[in-house]
Amino acid sequence: MTLLQRMEEVERRIAAACERSGRRREDVHVVAVTKYVSLDMTGRVIRAGLTHIGENRWHHAESKWNEFRNEASWHFIGSLQSKKAKDLVGKFDYIHSLDRVSLAEAIEKQAQALDITVRCFIQVNVSGEQSKHGLAPNEVKPFLDKLSQYPHIEPIGLMTMAPYEAEPEETRPVFRSLRQLRNELNETRSIPLQHLSMGMSNDFEVAIEEGASWVRLGSILVGQEGD
């Protein structure tokens, strides 16, 4: 399939998932994950109209960001070491993986120096897998309370990664739990967490049905080199 054919197919599936769940299509946003494709392919993706770009390592993203910095919104979707925050803050518009105080401190320090506010998703390990990063669900509220001390960080939502399942339907409890957690947190927050970053190529339709506002799509959307 060509890039445009993949985009059309993904769009059809997103629209159908929204219709099934009674959601508005405009409330679901796509991050095109370009971490496995070249500078040239990333340019093709952006020119095709996919202008939210996701990368998970700065040394892979640097050349792409330098080339296309003003043509896209940049999402950092990987695990982030505190010492690497200085490389990303001011370049990436969204960080999807805030999950500890030391990282919040590093982001705040750099954002304060640049006089900017960084939009962050709090990463939650809903499934409890030891291989995954993120806070346990019961740690999220105290962490959010702590973030009030960092005025240059704007928590806009929650992020999670579901276990890979051969049958996507089996991921539904993970996504539902994240939505329920967000809703519970918002009952006590003056500024609500609006967004849920959840769902990837294997399970994005289930995630949308359960309330995802951002889905992170790699090869199913941007393809492989040579396409």
Side-chain angles (χ1 to χ4, degrees):
M1 296 175 71
T2 66
L3 174 59
L4 291 179
Q5 286 172 331
R6 286 191 298 274
M7 289 173 62
E8 290 172 356
E9 175 64 10
V10 166
E11 174 59 33
R12 182 192 65 78
R13 292 170 65 179
I14 290 174
C18 288
E19 184 173 359
R20 286 194 298 272
S21 52
R23 299 186 63 201
R24 300 187 306 169
R25 171 63 186 87
E26 57 265 34
D27 292 338
V28 179
H29 310 281
V30 174
V31 178
V33 179
T34 54
K35 62 183 181 179
Y36 294 127
V37 300
S38 66
L39 178 69
D40 178 68
M41 186 63 189
T42 300
R44 290 173 56 194
V45 167
I46 293 171
R47 288 190 295 272
L50 295 167
T51 56
H52 287 276
I53 300 298
E55 289 279 339
N56 71 337
R57 286 186 172 83
W58 172 240
H59 67 275
H60 290 156
E62 185 173 7
S63 63
K64 301 170 187 177
W65 185 87
N66 285 331
E67 183 72 21
F68 305 114
R69 67 178 76 181
N70 296 320
E71 299 178 46
S73 293
W74 295 84
H75 296 245
F76 191 80
I77 60 172
S79 178
L80 178 56
Q81 294 178 302
S82 299
K83 65 183 180 181
K84 298 290 187 181
K86 65 182 184 298
D87 296 328
L88 302 177
V89 173
K91 299 181 178 73
F92 283 78
D93 303 285
Y94 301 84
I95 293 175
H96 288 241
S97 49
L98 178 54
D99 64 354
R100 59 195 185 281
V101 171
S102 61
L103 179 56
E105 290 174 343
I107 293 171
E108 172 69 21
K109 180 179 179 179
Q110 185 68 10
Q112 183 178 24
L114 296 172
D115 193 25
I116 62 173
T117 300
V118 182
R119 287 168 284 189
C120 294
F121 292 86
I122 312 306
Q123 183 167 354
V124 186
N125 186 355
V126 175
S127 66
E129 291 178 281
Q130 292 189 352
S131 62
K132 285 189 167 56
H133 295 273
L135 295 162
N138 64 357
E139 296 174 327
V140 177
K141 186 180 187 304
F143 183 70
L144 282 165
D145 292 341
K146 182 77 172 177
L147 287 184
S148 64
Q149 301 175 25
Y150 304 111
H152 296 85
I153 293 176
E154 180 187 359
I156 63 169
L158 305 179
M159 184 276 257
T160 200
M161 297 176 64
Y164 181 87
E165 300 286 359
E167 175 48 61
E169 180 63 29
E170 295 181 15
T171 64
R172 189 176 298 277
V174 171
F175 299 137
R176 181 171 293 167
S177 293
L178 192 73
R179 171 171 52 85
Q180 291 171 340
L181 175 62
R182 190 271 313 269
N183 293 348
E184 290 168 7
L185 292 167
N186 282 346
E187 291 176 1
T188 61
R189 290 181 59 81
S190 57
I191 302 175
L193 298 168
Q194 292 187 321
H195 294 288
L196 296 173
S197 171
M198 59 187 193
M200 298 191 293
S201 292
N202 186 57
D203 52 27
F204 70 94
E205 291 155 297
V206 176
I208 290 169
E209 291 170 2
E210 290 299 331
S213 51
W214 292 92
V215 292
R216 310 178 302 271
L217 303 180
S219 59
I220 193 174
L221 181 61
V222 304
Q224 304 290 341
E225 292 305 319
D227 286 350

